[in-house]
Amino acid sequence: MATLPCPLARLPDSPTEADLEAVYMQRGGDLVACDAARQLAVDTLVAERALQDRWRKARDGRR
């Protein structure tokens, strides 16, 4: 997920002022959701690597 581009709302071909306001708000929400998804992906990767490091350390300590 962290490597995929974030989908962002776009203005229609002939936007009105209401379209501009709506897309502005939608893009803000899109950016917040995208940032949260990317942060979750990074946090998951870091946690997985920490578990792997602990497992390797425990395994090497038994030898």
Side-chain angles (χ1 to χ4, degrees):
M1 289 298 295
T3 61
L4 299 176
C6 296
L8 296 176
R10 294 182 176 249
L11 287 169
D13 289 335
S14 299
T16 64
E17 188 172 334
D19 291 330
L20 178 62
E21 291 175 6
V23 169
Y24 180 78
M25 294 301 291
Q26 180 64 43
R27 276 188 157 222
D30 291 344
L31 289 171
V32 168
C34 183
D35 187 51
R38 287 183 182 201
Q39 188 61 53
L40 179 60
V42 170
D43 292 346
T44 300
L45 178 64
V46 169
E48 286 176 351
R49 290 194 175 161
L51 285 171
Q52 291 171 352
D53 290 344
R54 283 192 298 197
W55 176 79
R56 283 186 193 100
K57 187 176 181 181
R59 181 192 64 185
D60 293 343
R62 286 187 238 144
R63 289 182 179 183

